[in-house]
Amino acid sequence: MAEAFIYDHVRTPRGRGKPNGGLHAVTPIELTTQVLESLRDRNDLDTSYLDDVVLGCVSPVGEQGANIARVAVLTAGYEQNVPGKQLNRFCASGLEAVNTVAAQVMAGQSDLGIGGGVECMSRVPMGSDSGAMAADPRVAYDTYFAPQGIGADLIASKYGFSRDDVDGYAVESQNRAAHAWESGYFNDSVISVKDMLGMTVLDRDEHLRPGTTKEDLANLNPAFLIPGQQAGFDAVALQRYPEVERIDHVHTGGNSSGIVDGAAGVLIGNKEIGDALGLKPRARIKGFASIGSEPTIMLTGPAPSAEKVLKRCGMTTKDIDLFELNEAFASVVLRFMQALDLDHDQINVNGGAIAMGHPLGATGAMILGTVLDELERRDDSTALVNLCVGAGMGTATIIERV
Amino acid sequence: MKTIDYQVEDGVAILTIDVKERTMNVLTPDLIKDLRSALEQVKGDDAVKGAVITSAKDSFVAGADLMQMVKAYDDGRSAADKYKDSRSFQSLLRDIETSGKPFAAAINGTALGGGLEICLACHYRVAADNPKSVLGLPEVQVGLLPGGGGTQRLPRLIGQQAALQLMTQGTHVKPAKALEHGFVHAVVAADQCVAAAKQWVLEVGDPEQPWDKKGFKIPGGAGLMHPGSIQTLMVGSALIARETNHNYPAPIAIMSCVYEGTVLPIDQGLDIESKYFTSLLMDPVSRNMTRTLFINKGAADKLVRRPQGVEKSRVSKLGILGAGMMGAGIAYVSALAKMEVVLLDRDRDSAEKGKDYSRKLLQKRIDRGRTTADKAEAILERIKTTEDYADLEGCDLIIEAVFEDLGIKADVTAKTEAVIPETAIYASNTSTLPITGLAKASKRPEQFIGIHFFSPVDKMPLVEVILGKETGDRATAVALDYIQQIRKTPIVVNDSRGFYTSRVFGTYTNEGMTLVGEGVNPALIENVAKQAGMAVGPLAVMDEVTLELGYHVAQATEKALGDDYAPNSGFPVMLKFVEELDRRGKRFGKGFYDYPEGGTKHLWQGLADVYPPAEVQPTAEEVKKRLLYVQALDTVRCLDEGVITHPADGDIGSILGWGFPPYTGGTLSLIETVGLQTFVDECDRMAEAYGERFTVPDSLRERAKAGRGFYDETDGAEARSAA
């Protein structure tokens, strides 16, 4: 089996997912185009060598419809022989795209590809593609569908995380992200998004609220109280988990991932192509796995997905230097740490989506890049990246520096 | 035609429905046949321009013939056959709609279910301004859905959201509201109704429904490409999940009919409706709800258990002994029913406090605009508070609701009988003391009876009538007549400790406490109970009635039974809570739950220290079986012992008396639903695992072997009564 190496990665800054967000005026195709252009230009890449460009996008409708990956290949001026594909594994799509390209390379069916993602949530809101999962009565009812915020609160209730616990986690994320930005940890990988005249539109994540305290967070209202108590979703959750007395609604806008706009790309290839193109490999992709987990609680996929990829790679958690788990909600990470017996100083060491935002289709590729940069900064070796996923899934990847 | 009078006036066929042997028109096979004949006649006659459908009775058409519908589940016919049948009424209506001639519905009175569906298939609907009239599609309340096209026509008229709300709740609306919703075109004076319909046929007469016209768009949109409907569907499904706990298949079937059917041409939508309707006929829930809540309850309300040969009676003056919570409630409902009420307690103040209960309830009704101050005053006038037994003279009926003590009860019995007429009936509201024993204090034990109310009296529909050994037919008849006056539903049981309701309900709370003693997670116990459809979890209800009361009852029972007494399996837990932990119930601020001031109750965190959680917790399914089956088994014993004499009383009593889940049809219908042999096998397994309270009575074992249901041998009295 061939090996798949990460040669480079870039990401756009994350703009606030609102009309006043820094990237709101940038179309999704434009954002994606700039990521592809950047990867080409940074590496002086002859794009004709690319076998595929795979991009995650969770709401592929409207401006994000019609296979944005292939279209961006054309608008970025890549050679027309480069195909493209959009995929959707919900919140893990960006990582799934990376895994897909890696699989092609490892299987010897591709030499070089880009895996990444895009989501402009301020322009194409989450849920724009609707779907039977939540809206077909038979389906929603039979699968005990509940929205992700309910799942997050259910995790907190079932596994014993208080409002104080989740707010404490969120403060730490803010502190770490602010520190990382100030210290320039992200400078090499975050590109400036430019307008048509070449002027900078946004060059920094703008969702952050540095200096956030627990007191600040304590003032926020629970975000999922109304869907839980008035729309019936708490009852649905307890039908699946009757051993939980009631749902404690601890998540707010301040301890959940931010809604933002962003795009990212990771350049992946085998050893031979790197040699041929003069690219220096930064890490190998050791293995990856996706799993399905209970859909009503929805967000408990990280632990089993991590366990599966570790087993596949013949490793244990002791072999991992850094963990990077998307901060969809604070309780998700707290539960993962509890399940795998990890310390907070091993995971999300430069903050996460609570501080910086979660552009659904792109995040998986972004956090992969973030942890790779940190491995390099620390001169450490191995990282495990994973994400919780809608409808109860988890996707995990292990990388090892070379 | 047997059921339709067909007259042509000025070129308009007036079809007047009159199903002669019924008080209200229902969709009997004859009526459906006659509608088909009438349609053919209208179509075939060139001199007839169109038709008006109306009714000869005060109501229009009240719906399907539930007496027939209830048989569907057990008739052994295949889904394909049932589907074919369900199509027939539906396609008749579709044929009316596409006949090429205009049909107008003159809705002179109540139109429910299939009755309203006839109207929806007409091209014009005018409702009479009849104060008694209600319109609606209430099929969901008997576990069915509107299978005559209602799920397809109503949303096409008024949009998905409004239609779903009406159909999943089964709401009855007045004509004015129907007009507001948009599913009738006009509301006119009653004597103008047919004329208005006829006028429309002659002057407008459009024979095409909106949805059969080109370019039709359902109001508010349909399907997932329409952002408006997504929220409705998502929240609607979750709310149905919460309300039904997945125990009732009809509401979600209705949602699916609307969701799946409204993006299709109506003919395909109608087909989907028939398929979902058939699936509900194949499900026991509809049989259960129809049999118990409609047919058997209807018969009970018509006093099917009333002894023959006793003249009908009316209570004009009622005497109530004891103005506590129960006495106060009984006074209220009796005053509402226009009786003169004497409310007696040991002193005037206590009696007045009892009357305050009525004042409070009436004030609430005034505040909600449901009655006026004048009417309330008139009701209160009927309640006379007193401490003087002499005021009881002239009472037709006495209801004793004093403290549960033999001595006290005997005392008030003597004092009362010294004053009341010799013909008066004397009833006790006791919930635990056998009537025969109480009757010993009476001069006229044949006129002594138990009338057991449930709390809160103004809300709970059931009354349990208990016959002592000596109780005579007249006392029984008077008690039932009284219960009919106050518009509640009676069951009649024979005397025993705990009668029927208290005794069987006690097996539920006992099982809850037994589970606690085994280290089962209390949240699991409570949630499973509620999700199984019990109104309240066993631990919460134990707290409400107080563990202390349960403890005293157990002590009294031990005293009464002596050597024959054996404590229940849950008694050690109750004992520990009362004697050791001093956690006696809600009234004391703590029991299985903590009751923080101004906050919501929550399970006591300390329970795990007293009863450490079992390593292996039972599944939710197993907890549910234990909680429900233990009640069903004891009901069988009640039937065997002659405490209840008809399975209907067992079923009705369980649902209306203590909130046994309605979808089961009641404790005995549950056994039939599970399957007699399956139930027996499961109980054998549980007897082995958990104790002899799960021992299967021989009668049930034989019944299972013979495949003989509880209702197979009844005399059909219920069915005759309800027709």
Side-chain angles (χ1 to χ4, degrees), chain B residues 511 514 518 622 626 681-695:
Chain B
E511 198 62 28
T514 307
E518 292 172 16
E622 184 70 356
R626 288 177 63 167
D681 293 340
E682 279 296 278
C683 290
D684 282 341
R685 178 183 65 77
M686 291 197 284
E688 191 79 10
Y690 309 120
E692 61 177 24
R693 64 195 180 281
F694 287 99
T695 304

Side-chain angles (χ1 to χ4, degrees), chain B residues 342-540:
Chain B
V342 178
L343 183 59
L344 183 147
D345 209 306
R346 87 196 79 154
D347 56 70
R348 193 81 193 285
D349 278 347
S350 304
E352 271 300 311
K353 254 180 92 189
K355 189 170 173 179
D356 279 342
Y357 182 79
S358 294
R359 290 192 181 95
K360 276 207 200 78
L361 283 177
L362 286 164
Q363 187 56 50
K364 269 206 207 133
R365 291 185 67 156
I366 295 170
D367 292 342
R368 289 196 188 133
R370 314 200 73 181
T371 192
T372 63
D374 281 340
K375 289 206 182 100
E377 197 47 49
I379 293 166
L380 286 166
E381 286 278 291
R382 298 185 191 125
I383 303 175
K384 179 194 167 95
T385 55
T386 185
E387 64 200 21
D388 187 356
Y389 282 85
D391 286 329
L392 294 170
E393 55 103 26
C395 281
D396 306 297
L397 173 66
I398 300 289
I399 301 180
E400 169 273 298
V402 306
F403 193 69
E404 286 283 86
D405 176 276
L406 278 167
I408 298 177
K409 286 190 192 297
D411 183 51
V412 305
T413 304
K415 288 200 172 88
T416 304
E417 286 189 341
V419 177
I420 56 178
E422 282 193 6
T423 51
I425 302 299
Y426 188 104
S428 173
N429 177 56
T430 181
S431 55
T432 60
L433 298 170
I435 298 298
T436 310
L438 292 178
K440 291 206 171 76
S442 169
K443 285 194 285 198
R444 301 177 279 262
E446 72 280 5
Q447 283 162 230
F448 196 104
I449 192 167
I451 299 183
H452 176 211
F453 287 84
F454 294 81
S455 181
V457 177
D458 61 302
K459 286 207 167 58
M460 298 303 280
L462 189 79
V463 183
E464 186 178 24
V465 174
I466 307 116
L467 309 183
K469 213 137 135 232
E470 318 246 1
T471 305
D473 279 353
R474 209 188 125 245
T476 310
V478 169
L480 290 173
D481 291 340
Y482 162 71
I483 293 166
Q484 194 174 55
Q485 273 178 273
I486 58 173
R487 296 221 181 128
K488 291 195 181 290
T489 303
I491 60 170
V492 177
V493 312
N494 288 312
D495 198 14
S496 66
R497 188 157 291 276
F499 317 130
Y500 167 57
T501 60
S502 303
R503 166 181 164 171
V504 179
F505 184 62
T507 64
Y508 170 63
T509 50
N510 177 65
E511 198 62 28
M513 289 190 287
T514 307
L515 286 160
V516 167
E518 292 172 16
V520 175
N521 179 344
L524 182 67
I525 299 169
E526 296 290 271
N527 280 333
V528 167
K530 285 181 285 187
Q531 288 163 9
M534 293 297 294
V536 188
L539 305 181

Side-chain angles (χ1 to χ4, degrees), chain B residues 124-182:
Chain B
Y124 183 73
R125 290 167 287 284
V126 49
D129 187 9
N130 175 347
K132 289 215 221 124
S133 229
V134 285
L135 282 66
L137 296 173
E139 288 88 337
V140 70
Q141 291 167 359
V142 286
L144 293 171
L145 59 79
T151 70
Q152 300 305 303
R153 293 194 176 90
L154 193 62
R156 284 172 172 78
L157 283 168
I158 68 176
Q160 285 188 93
Q161 191 170 11
L164 279 171
Q165 212 140 28
L166 287 170
M167 291 189 288
T168 56
Q169 308 286 338
T171 321
H172 296 184
V173 303
K174 292 203 151 89
K177 191 75 182 173
L179 180 66
E180 204 185 299
H181 274 300

